Amino acid sequence: MRFIKSKKPEKIDIPPGELVEQALSPVLQENREKLKILLAGCSDVVMRDFMLASHPPAPGLLLYFDGLVDKEQVALHLLQPLLTEQDGEDSSGNLSPDELLKRVQYRILSVSEVKTLGSIEEILHHISSGDTVLLIDGCSSGLVAGTRSWQSRGIQTPENEITIYGPKEGLSETLRFNTALLRRRIKSSNFKIENMIIGELSKTDVALFYIEHIAPHPMVEELKKRLQAIDIDAVLDPRYLVEFVADEKRSIFTQEQYTEKPDRLCGYLLEGRIAIMVDGSPMALILPVSFLEYLISPEDYYINYIAASLFRLLRLGAFAIALLLPSLYVAVITYHHEMVPTPLLLTLAATRQGVPFPAFVEALLLDLTFELLREAGLRLPRAVGPAVSIVGALIIGDAAVRAGLVSTPMVVIIAATGIASFASPSYNAGIIIRITRFGFLIASGLLGFLGIMIALILLFVRMASLSSLGLPYLAPLAPFNWQQLSDILIRRPWFENRKRPYLEGMENQWRQGKSTGG
């Protein structure tokens, strides 16, 4: 067997960017020099030279990053078979370099995942992902073996989505572990997982999840198009992608949902939604989503449907309280005294004696203080954060009342508002409430109930103008669909839940009982 004789390559004077785009050379030494230039300063790279046990022996090179590969697998399933005598050596001398490469791929290596590559760029991507690359002198192609193994956080209970009933598993930072969690729950060939690489420097693995014939095909293609158009140096979390794929990029109204529960993610997929996951993040991004779905808790589907329906109505009431209670109180105290009974009005007036601020300023100061305490509690260590926020609120509230800076009813109003805002099962909805509440407070301070109504109209008009990947943001309220709206206001029992929430372009809308008619 003849090999291309390795010769000392001339000094390579090519910019690294052009080196990356080059195809592999049949001369191993040239490939080695190019890789040394590109990987200069990378102390964790391992370049292992060896002689392939062929007749005659052929020079080879193993390339990987220390810490990303399973060294035992590299030693037992790559190096050992390559260095020991191969079967059929008597005929190996008649093999060309490319035939020898195929022989190594199909008969020698015992790694489960082996494929060919042909460029420097592919080599850099695969070794950065934890694979091992094999180059043989005389071959203009190389082999990549799946040897990925790195330290990662195991499957744990989600921290942000606590449920009493239902599965306790949470997504982890390793993308392949997450795909397995989902594949175990949806055992169908229609469940598609498409991978793409985003990030000029990070080369991040991004996965797109959807169920064929349930997720609308035009919606899937549109999301793929938006993802492929992203040109950024690095992607470290799904939130990096949100502002690129959102329909409305300059709005406080978030048009996506996040979850770290595999069961909840599968529930969204079965309703025709599309999910995006990024390697290195335990959060899944779900599109499209309507605002009313933020009020649905994943635990609703694990308890009795009557109790779940009552809890949904309770959360809807808590949403109204968190949004409107301070502004309604300010409007009544400032402009609309006739709206409350006289004894109650006299009690409120007595408590406000000596307070130097109008009701609007009083509510604004207390609300800002409450938000400040909440942020401080989130940023502090978990062992002291809740205690500091609760004790701080009690001490500051009591001290403010004793000093005559605020009235006692206002402290009660802000406290009830804060408790109601915690009832929202979605952090996205909580952010929207916390921001828009100040707008309603200002409107009520200026015009009373009229200002609140104007603010409500503007809020609904703005929300009605938004969409999430083509889905109207207020669906099924606008456009109105009573069948779907009834399943959001209450939790419909499974034996009556025959259809999925309809999305434009959905082919299979039936959950059950298709043969029994509409």
Side-chain angles (χ1 to χ4, degrees):
M1 183 178 69
R2 295 181 302 169
F3 290 96
I4 297 177
K5 185 177 180 181
S6 297
K7 58 182 179 179
K8 186 176 180 180
E10 299 179 0
K11 182 180 179 181
I12 300 177
D13 190 17
I14 303 176
E18 296 183 14
L19 280 179
V20 171
E21 300 173 356
Q22 288 187 2
L24 287 175
S25 168
V27 181
L28 179 61
Q29 187 64 18
E30 291 185 5
N31 295 326
R32 189 200 322 273
E33 293 300 324
K34 293 175 183 178
L35 290 168
K36 281 184 177 180
I37 293 174
L38 293 170
L39 298 173
C42 300
S43 60
D44 54 343
V45 68
V46 177
M47 292 187 179
R48 172 64 159 87
D49 293 291
F50 66 94
M51 296 300 293
L52 184 64
S54 58
H55 293 277
L61 174 67
L62 277 181
L63 187 69
Y64 60 88
F65 275 117
D66 189 16
L68 296 182
V69 302
D70 184 347
K71 287 188 176 181
E72 183 177 356
Q73 188 177 11
V74 173
L76 294 179
H77 301 288
L78 291 180
L79 272 177
Q80 184 174 329
L82 293 170
L83 294 175
T84 56
E85 291 293 328
Q86 306 168 12
D87 56 345
E89 310 94 34
D90 52 347
S91 61
S92 62
N94 299 323
L95 298 177
S96 67
D98 290 336
E99 290 173 336
L100 177 62
L101 188 72
K102 291 183 179 179
R103 182 185 183 87
V104 170
Q105 179 180 2
Y106 295 113
R107 299 190 60 180
I108 305 302
L109 299 183
S110 57
V111 180
S112 59
E113 183 182 356
V114 181
K115 57 185 179 181
T116 59
L117 48 77
S119 69
I120 300 292
E121 183 177 10
E122 290 179 280
I123 291 179
L124 297 177
H125 170 68
H126 281 287
I127 64 174
S128 298
S129 300
D131 297 325
T132 300
V133 171
L134 166 64
L135 301 178
I136 298 177
D137 192 30
C139 300
S140 57
S141 299
L143 296 177
V144 56
T147 56
R148 304 182 182 188
S149 177
W150 50 75
Q151 295 295 324
S152 61
R153 182 171 64 96
I155 299 174
Q156 300 176 356
T157 302
E159 296 184 1
N160 301 318
E161 295 176 272
I162 305 299
T163 57
I164 299 175
Y165 300 102
K168 306 300 181 184
E169 291 178 329
L171 300 173
S172 70
E173 284 77 8
T174 305
L175 181 59
R176 193 51 62 204
F177 291 172
N178 296 332
T179 59
L181 288 172
L182 298 179
R183 182 67 70 181
R184 194 180 71 183
R185 286 172 167 81
I186 305 179
K187 305 178 180 70
S188 171
S189 59
N190 288 331
F191 177 36
K192 306 299 182 182
I193 304 176
E194 298 188 17
N195 282 9
M196 59 184 68
I197 299 172
I198 302 179
E200 187 67 26
L201 296 178
S202 64
K203 306 291 184 184
T204 306
D205 290 320
V206 177
L208 195 69
F209 302 82
Y210 64 94
I211 300 179
E212 197 172 28
H213 305 307
I214 295 180
H217 181 71
M219 192 176 293
V220 174
E221 293 301 317
E222 176 63 24
L223 184 55
K224 286 184 192 177
K225 180 180 177 182
R226 295 183 187 183
L227 289 173
Q228 291 167 355
I230 296 175
D231 183 12
I232 191 173
D233 58 351
V235 174
L236 305 179
D237 189 84
R239 292 172 181 82
Y240 280 57
L241 307 174
V242 169
E243 296 175 13
F244 290 99
V245 301
D247 289 9
E248 178 60 53
K249 299 176 174 58
R250 302 182 184 276
S251 174
I252 64 170
F253 299 99
T254 54
Q255 301 141 55
E256 71 285 336
Q257 180 66 284
Y258 296 98
T259 184
E260 52 183 335
K261 288 177 61 65
D263 57 305
R264 189 182 186 191
L265 178 53
C266 290
Y268 277 111
L269 294 175
L270 290 169
E271 292 182 350
R273 309 302 202 241
I274 310 168
I276 301 173
M277 293 196 68
V278 171
D279 190 29
S281 173
M283 303 299 293
L285 169 65
I286 300 166
L287 291 166
V289 65
S290 65
F291 178 78
L292 295 179
E293 293 175 9
Y294 290 144
L295 303 178
I296 298 177
S297 170
E299 198 170 17
D300 290 350
Y301 297 96
Y302 300 128
I303 62 177
N304 180 271
Y305 68 93
I306 298 177
S309 301
L310 294 176
F311 292 152
R312 280 194 185 179
L313 294 175
L314 180 63
R315 286 195 295 270
L316 186 61
F319 167 77
I321 291 174
L323 187 66
L324 298 174
L325 184 59
S327 56
L328 290 174
Y329 178 78
V330 169
V332 167
I333 290 297
T334 307
Y335 296 100
H336 307 285
H337 302 153
E338 71 280 359
M339 298 297 294
V340 295
T342 302
L344 178 59
L345 180 62
L346 294 176
T347 301
L348 295 176
T351 59
R352 287 191 47 78
Q353 287 183 357
V355 177
F357 305 112
F360 165 70
V361 176
E362 184 184 2
L364 186 62
L365 290 176
L366 270 182
D367 210 352
L368 287 173
T369 303
F370 182 83
E371 292 298 330
L372 182 61
L373 286 170
R374 172 154 42 183
E375 284 298 309
L378 290 175
R379 303 295 174 259
L380 287 171
R382 185 174 302 177
V384 298
V388 169
S389 60
I390 294 173
V391 174
L394 291 174
I395 293 175
I396 292 177
D398 182 67
V401 171
R402 289 178 179 272
L405 298 178
V406 296
S407 61
T408 305
M410 184 62 75
V411 174
V412 175
I413 292 293
I414 297 301
T417 302
I419 294 173
S421 65
F422 289 133
S424 173
S426 172
Y427 187 72
N428 285 351
I431 293 176
I432 296 173
I433 292 172
R434 291 162 63 183
I435 295 176
T436 54
R437 182 168 66 232
F438 287 100
F440 281 98
L441 193 57
I442 294 172
S444 66
L446 294 175
L447 297 173
F449 284 164
L450 177 61
I452 294 176
M453 292 303 301
I454 293 174
L456 274 174
I457 293 172
L458 293 177
L459 176 68
F460 281 114
V461 168
R462 176 55 178 161
M463 294 175 72
S465 67
L466 298 175
S467 63
S468 174
L469 208 61
L471 176 68
Y473 196 54
L474 287 181
L477 184 62
F480 184 78
N481 186 322
W482 171 248
Q483 181 183 6
Q484 296 184 34
L485 182 61
S486 62
D487 192 35
I488 289 180
L489 296 178
I490 62 173
R491 205 273 272 177
R492 189 180 298 155
W494 281 114
F495 55 82
E496 292 183 0
N497 208 4
R498 299 173 59 191
K499 286 187 176 184
R500 314 177 200 277
Y502 179 72
L503 296 174
E504 187 69 30
M506 179 183 287
E507 298 179 25
N508 179 11
Q509 195 184 352
W510 292 92
R511 289 184 187 269
Q512 56 179 320
K514 183 177 179 180
S515 60
T516 62

